[in-house]
Amino acid sequence: TGAPFATPYRSWATERVIVLEESKKFISLQHILVMFVEMDDGTVEGPMLIKHWRQDWEYEPTAALEFVGYRHWETRTLSDEERAGTWQQTVYQVDDSPRYTMRGTWTHNRSFSAWISDDAWRPLPRREHTVRSDYHTMTGTNRLTVLPTGWVHSQDNTKTVLSSVGTIDDAKPAVAREFGVNRYERIVGFDFSEAERYWAATSGYWKRVRKAWDKHTGQADRVRVDDKCNDTPVYALLFEVANEVDSKTGLKKADELKRVEDILSCSVSAPQ
């Protein structure tokens, strides 16, 4: 007698995953979409490139930047019990703004390695944040299963209603439960040269953007991160600067840094 299931959502893409940093206790992975599309007449258009999401992995972290609802993120010091033996995954949006943080432990056997997270909060997924207003956060767990041919990311989520920042609505805590599966399969022979060229030209810029985000999100224990600056999406403004850095004329570093600072100062605040 309940509401009918929503139509399953499916999509696909090809990505180049670049290792930004790698050590025994920290790994940073940048995803870049590269797409070639076959048109109805048989011609192929592309490559179409988008700097995509980023994931940072840290072993036994001391702190976490966690989503607490209504576009707020909170930096929280972790207890020894929370961090012991865990790897923390922090996921960032295409413009390197924060998305969510989860902690979990790995298990290994001869067939696969698996990481299972504790419960955590996430903002609405991109496919829903502009069309849904009946819930405020996804709460749930992630499982990553690493195989010789790639990895599988499975999700068990509850679409959760909040009464205020950081507080679940006791009267109506949830509207639905969702299961999701993302499969990453290693491929060979694909032309990722445009992703490699783009990253060679802009990686320094995006490194400075990451550093600027860290400064602004770390200005207070709790910050608000708006997705727009003067009615323009923050990602569009930062990508515009990246395109100028990538252009033949380039952009002076001082001008680049000022524009990034202006954008983030406009979008990140520390509510009293």
Side-chain angles (χ1 to χ4, degrees), residues 40-240:
D40 292 338
D41 62 2
T43 60
V44 176
E45 291 192 0
M48 290 171 281
L49 181 147
I50 300 175
K51 175 187 171 293
H52 210 202
W53 62 293
R54 181 176 111 246
Q55 52 177 321
D56 286 354
W57 290 85
E58 186 176 3
Y59 182 65
E60 294 189 337
T62 58
L65 181 62
E66 298 175 327
F67 179 67
V68 291
Y70 296 101
R71 303 212 60 81
H72 286 72
W73 277 261
E74 185 174 273
T75 299
R76 186 172 64 85
T77 300
L78 301 177
S79 67
D80 291 343
E81 182 180 7
E82 285 180 293
R83 54 192 293 269
T86 66
W87 277 90
Q88 177 169 276
Q89 182 197 39
T90 304
V91 171
Y92 300 86
Q93 309 270 25
V94 298
D95 58 3
D96 288 309
S97 59
R99 181 157 177 77
Y100 66 83
T101 299
M102 305 179 112
R103 280 170 303 284
T105 55
W106 284 92
T107 58
H108 307 280
N109 62 44
R110 288 181 177 271
S111 299
F112 63 86
S113 295
W115 175 84
I116 303 175
S117 77
D118 297 331
D119 279 346
W121 290 19
R122 296 199 296 265
L124 273 62
R126 286 180 294 275
R127 65 182 181 276
E128 290 195 342
H129 81 278
T130 59
V131 297
R132 296 285 294 267
S133 59
D134 56 340
Y135 75 102
H136 306 104
T137 183
M138 302 271 267
T139 63
T141 59
N142 279 356
R143 177 188 173 96
L144 296 178
T145 305
V146 179
L147 304 162
T149 57
W151 75 89
V152 179
H153 169 204
S154 56
Q155 306 177 45
D156 182 353
N157 298 319
T158 301
K159 298 182 177 183
T160 304
V161 180
L162 303 180
S163 59
S164 61
V165 175
T167 304
I168 295 175
D169 188 341
D170 290 335
K172 188 181 180 182
V175 298
R177 189 176 181 184
E178 173 189 85
F179 298 93
V181 177
N182 301 313
R183 294 185 298 112
Y184 293 84
E185 183 177 354
R186 183 181 297 145
I187 58 176
V188 296
F190 189 87
D191 183 5
F192 284 114
S193 59
E194 179 62 15
E196 291 156 5
R197 184 212 61 78
Y198 174 82
W199 198 247
T202 65
S203 60
Y205 163 73
W206 286 113
K207 183 176 182 179
R208 291 184 283 275
V209 169
R210 296 194 299 272
K211 185 176 180 180
W213 275 116
D214 288 344
K215 183 187 79 170
H216 282 273
T217 57
Q219 65 182 284
D221 290 342
R222 179 178 289 181
V223 295
R224 177 182 171 88
V225 181
D226 290 311
D227 61 353
K228 292 184 179 180
C229 174
N230 299 325
D231 296 325
T232 302
V234 170
Y235 76 83
L237 294 171
L238 290 174
F239 275 38
E240 180 181 335

